[in-house]
Amino acid sequence: MKVAVFGAGGVGGYLGARLADAGHEVHLIARGDHLAALRSDGLRVESIRGDTSVELPATDDPADIGPCDVVLFCVKAHDTRDAAADLAPLLDERTAVVSVQNGVDNERWLADEIGEDHVVGGVAYIFSTIGEPGVVEHTGGPAQFVYGELDGERTDRIERLDDALSASDGIDAVLVTDIRVELWRKFAFICAQAGMTATTRLPIGELRETDASWTMYRRIIEEVCAVARAEGVDHPDETVDEWLEFARGLDSDMYSSLHYDLTHDKRLELDALHGSVVRHASEVDVDVPMNEAVHAILRPWADRAGR
């Protein structure tokens, strides 16, 4: 397959390297110092699932690449609309654009720009980031990637993508029929993990030791699940307990990408996380006081940076 990775950061870089190792034609789209390092030294992945280094074509201009079978769309949620406007050179009528992002609105934003027929939903369960320009560090998580057509059909293109990911070392690939369930399921966890580590500035280990913090963590998950069900998503009843059990097993010093962005003066995905919960909750008349509180606490930091 010919694959473009739009946003070759922690998630996109990891996926691109694994697919390249499996023999696929992979092109990376990045910017700044990271792009310069990819061009000069290649991409290095330092992973708990095994290290790898690959030399791949890298650019900041999709027109350099041309139409692809698959575009792995891995930009931050706040960049979705702008980046989607640059996708046209990568598309033909059959191209699958797989959103591998945080949040539950990205697929709709993509569809507004390129048409719903191109859009595939995706979820990544992996803790990875750019350790330094040209280097992706995978430090935790199962490296599981879940994906599916928005209408649940088993199309030829989704079967080909599934075959490619399933045959790639270091990837646990899962094809599902109802990707909306998976999007909202992860969304519940992200909002709790991101909201609590960012507002308290505490790692997950210290949150577990505080009854009040752990109660707030649970309530954030419960609120997101309630919104999902009100929107007609068939959210499993055991989601809350599953995520609490998962969080108990995380490394005690684990934070979140929202915490990282907050403490490194980077643009926050606040609107795509807790801001989105608040908007969706208003539409279906569900109370979400904990998510509203997180949104209100972090809003000044997001605004201060002009975000």
Side-chain angles (χ1 to χ4, degrees):
M1 297 178 70
K2 182 179 179 182
V3 179
V5 179
F6 202 121
V11 174
Y14 184 87
L15 283 168
R18 298 306 191 188
L19 285 167
D21 278 343
H24 299 281
E25 178 186 348
V26 177
H27 298 259
L28 305 178
I29 300 171
R31 59 190 178 185
D33 292 343
H34 188 49
L35 173 59
L38 292 172
R39 284 172 163 169
S40 63
D41 303 318
L43 172 62
R44 187 166 83 251
V45 174
E46 299 175 353
S47 169
I48 59 174
R49 297 286 294 270
D51 298 345
T52 188
S53 295
V54 290
E55 298 280 348
L56 300 174
T59 182
D60 58 1
D61 185 358
D64 293 341
I65 301 171
C68 296
D69 298 304
V70 173
V71 178
L72 298 176
F73 193 75
C74 305
V75 304
K76 290 283 191 177
H78 45 63
D79 290 328
T80 295
R81 293 184 186 276
D82 288 342
D86 295 329
L87 285 170
L90 303 173
L91 307 180
D92 64 21
E93 63 181 15
R94 294 175 297 277
T95 303
V97 178
V98 187
S99 169
V100 190
Q101 301 171 270
N102 289 334
V104 294
D105 298 315
N106 297 291
E107 289 76 13
R108 175 169 53 83
W109 294 338
L110 276 169
D112 288 344
E113 183 66 36
I114 64 174
E116 188 169 301
D117 287 348
H118 282 298
V119 183
V120 172
V123 175
Y125 293 106
I126 186 172
F127 296 110
S128 58
T129 189
I130 298 175
E132 61 183 83
V135 179
V136 167
E137 296 178 349
H138 167 215
T139 58
Q144 183 184 80
F145 297 89
V146 185
Y147 41 89
E149 297 281 8
L150 298 183
D151 61 6
E153 290 204 17
R154 298 289 287 259
T155 60
D156 288 342
R157 71 181 186 183
I158 203 67
E159 294 280 4
R160 290 186 68 203
L161 175 64
D162 185 48
D163 289 342
L165 291 173
S166 297
S168 299
D169 290 340
I171 293 178
D172 294 333
V174 182
L175 173 58
V176 296
T177 56
D178 193 344
I179 192 62
R180 287 188 71 211
V181 171
E182 299 301 323
L183 290 168
W184 277 92
R185 182 173 176 270
K186 185 185 178 185
F187 192 47
F189 170 72
I190 295 174
C191 287
Q193 180 85 345
M196 291 305 297
T197 58
T199 56
T200 66
R201 309 292 181 96
L202 297 175
I204 187 65
E206 292 188 41
L207 292 175
R208 290 194 299 251
E209 295 171 3
T210 306
D211 289 343
S213 295
W214 204 238
T215 298
M216 293 164 66
Y217 195 100
R218 169 186 278 274
R219 287 186 60 191
I220 291 174
I221 299 175
E222 290 173 340
E223 289 177 5
V224 177
C225 291
V227 173
R229 293 189 184 103
E231 290 205 353
V233 178
D234 188 17
H235 223 290
D237 293 336
E238 61 271 17
T239 298
V240 176
D241 289 336
E242 284 184 349
W243 279 137
L244 289 173
E245 185 62 27
F246 179 79
R248 291 187 185 97
L250 292 175
D251 290 343
S252 61
D253 60 351
M254 187 74 69
Y255 285 93
S256 65
S257 60
L258 188 68
H259 174 274
Y260 178 89
D261 291 341
L262 178 68
T263 55
H264 289 76
D265 198 29
K266 294 181 178 293
R267 189 173 180 181
L268 303 185
E269 287 189 302
L270 184 63
D271 281 336
L273 297 178
H274 307 89
S276 178
V277 176
V278 173
R279 290 192 299 274
H280 282 267
S282 177
E283 293 170 0
V284 293
D285 197 25
V286 172
D287 292 331
V288 289
M290 286 307 308
N291 282 275
E292 289 176 346
V294 170
H295 186 252
I297 291 168
L298 296 179
R299 185 77 263 164
W301 275 270
D303 290 344
R304 184 177 61 185
R307 312 299 196 242

